[in-house]
Amino acid sequence: MLKALLNLVFPKTCSGCRNNLLESEHLVCTFCRHDMPFTQHHLDDNNETLKKFKGRLPVEHASSIVYFHKEGIVQELIHNLKYRGKEEIGSLMGQWYVHDLKNIETLKTVTDVVPVPLHTKKLRERGYNQVEGFGKALANGLGKKYSDDVLVRTQYSKTQTKKNLAARAEIISEAFDVASTDAGTEKHFLLVDDVITTGATLEACGKALLKIPGAKVSVITIAYAHT
Ligand SMILES: [Zn+2]
């Protein structure tokens, strides 16, 4: 009764289209869910996400769940996830997708699900890493370990003085390393991020992970953006 009343006064809105949600709906309305631009990447051995890494990073598997279009549902979802405190969206997307991933042979050897680490400054501002919910949902669903301490952000201070501001920002934003190259043998890391655009961040993270002897890398993102 109280819940129904509260819902009448403060209706919950869909994270994709902002229409009011029915009581039976959670986060995303039925309309948006049916309208979601799914990529079906997991069925395609030569999908677009995989192609982004060709010649840049050896990956075992790469895929994205949905297409990111300007002004679309996915843009709204990602915006809510990153800037409006709707951490649960990541978990929801992970829960939807994990059923498709369970049957993928390549992913059966995954040992750890690893999120792209957030800048400490951003983590402080936002209060959460927006990839965590997604990563944990995949880890739980696939029965793998969620490891957010494998990758670290590093900042180079030596060569910065000569670079211009933009170049410096680029270097800082793409500087990653492993906490230790002694993370164990036969590791297969499943790197996760919210959106793949150029793939530069994931490439940098993947290269860092491959410093661990014998390590393999796969990549999954919530959304794929055309560049
Ligand atoms: Zn909606």
Side-chain angles (χ1 to χ4, degrees):
M1 176 65 195
L2 182 67
K3 202 180 154 202
L5 198 67
L6 276 173
N7 215 21
L8 205 67
V9 186
F10 306 103
K12 288 196 179 121
T13 54
C14 169
S15 303
C17 69
R18 304 187 196 185
N19 283 325
N20 290 350
L21 285 175
L22 299 174
E23 218 181 316
S24 57
E25 293 169 334
H26 179 60
L27 280 172
V28 178
C29 74
T30 314
F31 176 78
C32 281
R33 197 167 165 158
H34 283 283
D35 228 29
M36 205 68 78
F38 288 106
T39 65
Q40 303 297 341
H41 274 176
H42 60 285
L43 303 173
D44 182 359
D45 288 340
N46 195 26
N47 71 59
E48 296 144 303
T49 302
L50 202 56
K51 280 183 191 160
K52 293 230 187 202
F53 296 106
K54 272 222 172 102
R56 295 166 69 186
L57 179 77
V59 288
E60 309 302 311
H61 168 98
S63 60
S64 308
I65 309 176
V66 285
Y67 289 112
F68 184 99
H69 301 299
K70 278 239 157 77
E71 317 291 329
I73 297 168
V74 176
Q75 186 188 31
E76 190 68 19
L77 284 178
I78 297 289
H79 192 82
N80 276 313
L81 170 66
K82 285 175 91 159
Y83 308 112
R84 296 205 199 104
K86 299 241 174 135
E87 268 189 274
E88 285 175 282
I89 290 170
S91 317
L92 186 72
M93 298 300 281
Q95 284 159 18
W96 284 355
Y97 196 43
V98 83
H99 298 285
D100 291 333
L101 300 177
K102 271 183 181 163
N103 300 318
I104 295 176
E105 214 50 47
T106 324
L107 292 177
K108 289 184 178 162
T109 59
V110 164
T111 52
D112 302 65
V113 176
V114 178
V116 168
L118 202 64
H119 266 296
T120 326
K121 190 170 163 258
K122 275 203 184 146
L123 191 59
R124 229 179 293 133
E125 284 166 7
R126 191 173 297 159
Y128 60 96
N129 182 342
Q130 75 275 10
V131 193
E132 189 175 322
F134 179 61
K136 282 186 172 167
L138 294 192
N140 286 339
L142 296 170
K144 312 292 182 187
K145 195 176 156 206
Y146 179 78
S147 305
D148 58 1
D149 54 357
V150 179
L151 273 180
V152 289
R153 286 225 180 223
T154 55
Q155 297 202 353
Y156 297 117
S157 51
K158 283 180 252 167
T159 55
Q160 270 181 27
T161 43
K162 284 176 194 164
K163 307 253 186 217
N164 65 38
L165 208 67
R168 217 184 302 166
E170 181 92 32
I171 285 174
I172 290 174
S173 72
E174 288 175 18
F176 298 93
D177 206 349
V178 279
S180 158
T181 52
D182 198 18
T185 51
E186 303 200 10
K187 283 282 185 183
H188 181 176
F189 297 108
L190 176 57
L191 252 176
V192 290
D193 205 359
D194 49 2
V195 186
I196 183 166
T197 42
T198 65
T201 304
L202 286 157
E203 182 188 351
C205 287
K207 282 183 171 156
L209 289 171
L210 290 177
K211 287 184 192 171
I212 297 169
K216 287 190 220 162
V217 171
S218 287
V219 174
I220 295 182
T221 70
I222 297 176
Y224 175 95
H226 291 279
T227 43

